[in-house]
Short mmCIF file of all heavy atoms in Angstrom, two decimals:
data_model
loop_
_atom_site.label_atom_id
_atom_site.label_comp_id
_atom_site.label_asym_id
_atom_site.label_seq_id
_atom_site.Cartn_x
_atom_site.Cartn_y
_atom_site.Cartn_z
N LYS A 191 10.32 -17.42 -33.45
CA LYS A 191 11.54 -18.22 -33.58
C LYS A 191 12.55 -17.80 -32.52
O LYS A 191 12.84 -16.62 -32.38
CB LYS A 191 12.13 -18.00 -34.97
CG LYS A 191 11.22 -18.55 -36.04
CD LYS A 191 11.90 -18.52 -37.40
CE LYS A 191 11.16 -19.36 -38.42
NZ LYS A 191 9.77 -18.97 -38.60
N ILE A 192 13.03 -18.76 -31.78
CA ILE A 192 14.04 -18.45 -30.78
C ILE A 192 15.26 -19.35 -31.01
O ILE A 192 15.15 -20.40 -31.65
CB ILE A 192 13.50 -18.64 -29.35
CG1 ILE A 192 12.97 -20.05 -29.15
CG2 ILE A 192 12.42 -17.63 -29.02
CD1 ILE A 192 12.90 -20.42 -27.70
N PRO A 193 16.41 -18.94 -30.52
CA PRO A 193 17.62 -19.73 -30.78
C PRO A 193 17.69 -21.00 -29.93
O PRO A 193 17.19 -21.03 -28.81
CB PRO A 193 18.75 -18.77 -30.40
CG PRO A 193 18.15 -17.82 -29.43
CD PRO A 193 16.71 -17.69 -29.82
N CYS A 206 27.55 -13.92 -29.15
CA CYS A 206 26.09 -13.81 -29.15
C CYS A 206 25.60 -13.05 -27.91
O CYS A 206 24.68 -12.25 -27.98
CB CYS A 206 25.46 -15.21 -29.21
SG CYS A 206 26.03 -16.32 -27.91
N PHE A 209 26.13 -9.44 -28.24
CA PHE A 209 25.27 -8.87 -29.25
C PHE A 209 23.85 -8.65 -28.74
O PHE A 209 23.21 -7.64 -29.05
CB PHE A 209 25.23 -9.78 -30.48
CG PHE A 209 24.19 -9.36 -31.49
CD1 PHE A 209 24.47 -8.36 -32.39
CD2 PHE A 209 22.93 -9.96 -31.49
CE1 PHE A 209 23.51 -7.95 -33.30
CE2 PHE A 209 21.96 -9.55 -32.41
CZ PHE A 209 22.26 -8.55 -33.31
N CYS A 210 23.34 -9.57 -27.95
CA CYS A 210 21.91 -9.55 -27.60
C CYS A 210 21.55 -8.33 -26.75
O CYS A 210 21.93 -8.22 -25.60
CB CYS A 210 21.52 -10.83 -26.86
SG CYS A 210 19.75 -10.82 -26.45
N LYS A 211 20.78 -7.44 -27.37
CA LYS A 211 20.37 -6.21 -26.69
C LYS A 211 19.46 -6.49 -25.51
O LYS A 211 19.31 -5.67 -24.62
CB LYS A 211 19.56 -5.33 -27.66
CG LYS A 211 20.36 -4.53 -28.62
CD LYS A 211 19.54 -3.34 -29.11
CE LYS A 211 18.30 -3.73 -29.88
NZ LYS A 211 18.57 -4.33 -31.19
N PHE A 212 18.78 -7.62 -25.55
CA PHE A 212 17.79 -7.91 -24.52
C PHE A 212 18.36 -8.75 -23.38
O PHE A 212 17.65 -9.11 -22.47
CB PHE A 212 16.59 -8.62 -25.16
CG PHE A 212 15.97 -7.79 -26.24
CD1 PHE A 212 16.24 -8.04 -27.58
CD2 PHE A 212 15.15 -6.73 -25.91
CE1 PHE A 212 15.67 -7.27 -28.58
CE2 PHE A 212 14.58 -5.94 -26.90
CZ PHE A 212 14.85 -6.20 -28.24
N ASN A 213 19.65 -9.07 -23.46
CA ASN A 213 20.30 -9.89 -22.45
C ASN A 213 19.57 -11.21 -22.22
O ASN A 213 19.34 -11.61 -21.09
CB ASN A 213 20.43 -9.14 -21.13
CG ASN A 213 21.27 -7.89 -21.28
OD1 ASN A 213 22.32 -7.91 -21.92
ND2 ASN A 213 20.82 -6.80 -20.70
N ALA A 214 19.20 -11.84 -23.31
CA ALA A 214 18.46 -13.09 -23.19
C ALA A 214 19.39 -14.30 -23.12
O ALA A 214 18.93 -15.43 -23.02
CB ALA A 214 17.50 -13.24 -24.35
N LEU A 215 20.69 -14.06 -23.18
CA LEU A 215 21.64 -15.17 -23.19
C LEU A 215 22.63 -15.03 -22.04
O LEU A 215 23.00 -13.93 -21.64
CB LEU A 215 22.43 -15.16 -24.51
CG LEU A 215 21.59 -15.25 -25.80
CD1 LEU A 215 22.45 -14.96 -27.02
CD2 LEU A 215 20.94 -16.63 -25.91
N VAL A 224 19.66 -19.98 -22.88
CA VAL A 224 18.75 -19.05 -23.56
C VAL A 224 17.56 -18.78 -22.63
O VAL A 224 16.90 -19.72 -22.19
CB VAL A 224 18.22 -19.65 -24.88
CG1 VAL A 224 17.30 -18.65 -25.58
CG2 VAL A 224 19.36 -20.07 -25.78
N VAL A 228 12.70 -13.86 -22.36
CA VAL A 228 13.32 -12.55 -22.53
C VAL A 228 13.68 -12.31 -24.01
O VAL A 228 13.74 -11.19 -24.48
CB VAL A 228 14.57 -12.45 -21.63
CG1 VAL A 228 15.20 -11.08 -21.72
CG2 VAL A 228 14.20 -12.75 -20.18
N CYS A 229 13.90 -13.38 -24.73
CA CYS A 229 14.29 -13.29 -26.15
C CYS A 229 13.19 -12.60 -26.96
O CYS A 229 12.02 -12.89 -26.80
CB CYS A 229 14.53 -14.69 -26.69
SG CYS A 229 14.76 -14.74 -28.47
N HIS A 230 13.58 -11.67 -27.83
CA HIS A 230 12.63 -10.96 -28.67
C HIS A 230 12.66 -11.43 -30.12
O HIS A 230 12.20 -10.74 -31.02
CB HIS A 230 12.88 -9.45 -28.61
CG HIS A 230 12.31 -8.81 -27.38
ND1 HIS A 230 12.66 -9.21 -26.12
CD2 HIS A 230 11.41 -7.81 -27.21
CE1 HIS A 230 12.00 -8.48 -25.23
NE2 HIS A 230 11.24 -7.62 -25.87
N SER A 231 13.28 -12.60 -30.34
CA SER A 231 13.26 -13.22 -31.68
C SER A 231 13.81 -12.34 -32.78
O SER A 231 13.24 -12.29 -33.87
CB SER A 231 11.81 -13.62 -32.05
OG SER A 231 11.29 -14.44 -31.07
N CYS A 232 14.87 -11.62 -32.50
CA CYS A 232 15.42 -10.78 -33.57
C CYS A 232 16.26 -11.62 -34.54
O CYS A 232 16.51 -11.21 -35.66
CB CYS A 232 16.27 -9.66 -32.98
SG CYS A 232 17.86 -10.20 -32.35
N GLY A 233 16.68 -12.79 -34.09
CA GLY A 233 17.43 -13.68 -34.98
C GLY A 233 18.91 -13.34 -35.13
O GLY A 233 19.66 -14.06 -35.79
N GLY A 234 19.33 -12.24 -34.51
CA GLY A 234 20.70 -11.75 -34.67
C GLY A 234 21.76 -12.75 -34.25
O GLY A 234 22.72 -13.01 -34.98
N CYS A 235 21.57 -13.35 -33.08
CA CYS A 235 22.58 -14.27 -32.55
C CYS A 235 22.79 -15.45 -33.49
O CYS A 235 23.91 -15.94 -33.65
CB CYS A 235 22.20 -14.73 -31.15
SG CYS A 235 20.58 -15.51 -31.07
N ILE A 236 21.70 -15.90 -34.11
CA ILE A 236 21.77 -17.07 -34.98
C ILE A 236 22.63 -16.75 -36.22
O ILE A 236 23.49 -17.52 -36.62
CB ILE A 236 20.35 -17.51 -35.40
CG1 ILE A 236 19.57 -17.89 -34.14
CG2 ILE A 236 20.40 -18.66 -36.40
CD1 ILE A 236 18.09 -18.09 -34.34
N LEU A 244 24.11 -22.05 -33.21
CA LEU A 244 22.73 -21.67 -32.92
C LEU A 244 21.82 -21.93 -34.12
O LEU A 244 22.17 -21.60 -35.25
CB LEU A 244 22.66 -20.19 -32.54
CG LEU A 244 23.41 -19.78 -31.27
CD1 LEU A 244 23.42 -18.27 -31.10
CD2 LEU A 244 22.80 -20.45 -30.05
S1 SF4 C 600 17.23 -13.93 -31.16
FE1 SF4 C 600 17.85 -11.81 -30.69
S2 SF4 C 600 16.80 -11.42 -28.76
FE2 SF4 C 600 16.79 -13.63 -29.00
S3 SF4 C 600 18.62 -14.33 -27.95
FE3 SF4 C 600 19.18 -14.02 -30.09
S4 SF4 C 600 20.00 -11.94 -30.15
FE4 SF4 C 600 18.86 -12.14 -28.25
#
Side-chain angles (χ1 to χ4, degrees):
Chain A
K191 294 188 166 58
I192 56 160
C206 55
F209 171 82
C210 181
K211 279 203 297 291
F212 301 101
N213 299 316
L215 302 169
V224 181
V228 183
C229 171
H230 280 57
S231 305
C232 74
C235 56
I236 299 169
L244 297 173

